[in-house]
Amino acid sequence: MMRKIGNYTLLLMLLVLGFACKTKNDVEAFKEAEYSLESINQIELNGIDLLKKKRPQDFSFNDAATLYTAFSDNALNAVSTIGLKVNLPEGSQGRTMTVTQLKWQLLVDDQHTLTGLVSEPVELKNGLNTITIASPLTFASGEGSSQPDLNKLLRLATLLNKDSADRPKVTLQIKPTIQTSVGPFELPAFIKIKG
């Protein structure tokens, strides 16, 4: 009887070890992957489509009031659809990864401008991934102030439609929490997304 219990325990330990090794390999594959932003097909901020706003004059009084109120109440929410390309290392192309939570941050000219958190699970695979995400937004505060800088909101609203020659340097970084066989695992550092 003790021998059977010992065999079952050993078998269970081998299964757990096998899952742990597979999880480690999956995590390593996605940590070593190259990520690039291929497209932005939709960006709505509190229901206002920012891709249709090429300059400040394109915002109606209603748009401005909606954004200002949401900004003042720290209640900005974004919905966007992006094309994220994932290039996994050689030999890892068949792997997939479930991201249970995704922290992200946007830097404009290397200055921290915007952060967000995506809480809906997203499945990533090698190749192009079309992802629709909803995320509350937090703007970085102005220097010496605890209030977010309204100029950063206005600058960001028109940033996406500028010609590439006039566009400032924009960097998107992500920090995913991955679902593994032993539970969620948050990557220790942000991953830079190529634009």
Side-chain angles (χ1 to χ4, degrees):
M1 179 71 165
M2 289 300 281
R3 189 172 177 174
K4 280 187 176 181
I5 293 173
N7 287 343
Y8 286 128
T9 303
L10 181 61
L11 182 60
L12 182 63
M13 287 175 55
L14 287 173
L15 282 172
V16 168
L17 184 61
F19 281 125
C21 288
K22 182 187 179 311
T23 296
K24 182 180 183 288
N25 290 340
D26 288 347
V27 169
E28 288 300 318
F30 280 90
K31 277 172 59 177
E32 294 171 9
E34 288 184 13
Y35 297 87
S36 57
L37 188 60
E38 293 292 308
S39 62
I40 299 175
N41 305 315
Q42 170 195 14
I43 295 184
E44 287 187 7
L45 194 56
N46 289 60
I48 299 166
D49 186 352
L50 294 186
L51 293 181
K52 293 182 179 174
K53 312 295 183 187
K54 297 191 185 304
R55 54 189 201 275
Q57 296 84 345
D58 293 338
F59 289 88
S60 69
F61 180 77
N62 241 7
D63 294 342
T66 298
L67 290 176
Y68 182 77
T69 301
F71 185 79
S72 299
D73 296 341
N74 204 16
L76 286 168
N77 284 290
V79 175
S80 59
T81 303
I82 62 171
L84 180 65
K85 182 139 188 207
V86 180
N87 286 320
L88 291 175
E90 191 69 34
S92 303
Q93 283 84 1
R95 298 182 189 277
T96 61
M97 176 175 72
T98 300
V99 176
T100 57
Q101 178 177 283
L102 184 71
K103 293 178 183 174
W104 60 270
Q105 59 186 18
L106 187 74
L107 288 76
V108 178
D109 285 334
D110 294 324
Q111 288 190 356
H112 182 236
T113 302
L114 193 60
T115 58
L117 176 69
V118 179
S119 298
E120 301 93 24
V122 173
E123 186 81 19
L124 292 182
K125 62 182 184 344
N126 188 60
L128 186 62
N129 297 265
T130 301
I131 305 168
T132 299
I133 53 176
S135 176
L137 305 178
T138 305
F139 276 86
S141 302
E143 287 183 34
S145 167
S146 61
Q147 282 296 101
D149 186 352
L150 185 58
N151 289 328
K152 288 185 177 178
L153 171 63
L154 297 175
R155 185 175 179 204
L156 187 65
T158 56
L159 175 71
L160 299 168
N161 289 305
K162 284 191 175 182
D163 294 332
S164 58
D166 298 331
R167 189 176 297 157
K169 179 184 170 194
V170 177
T171 307
L172 177 64
Q173 298 179 327
I174 60 171
K175 190 176 188 183
T177 299
I178 305 164
Q179 183 60 46
T180 70
S181 58
V182 293
F185 171 77
E186 182 180 59
L187 292 184
F190 278 92
I191 298 168
K192 184 176 177 180
I193 304 293
K194 290 188 218 170

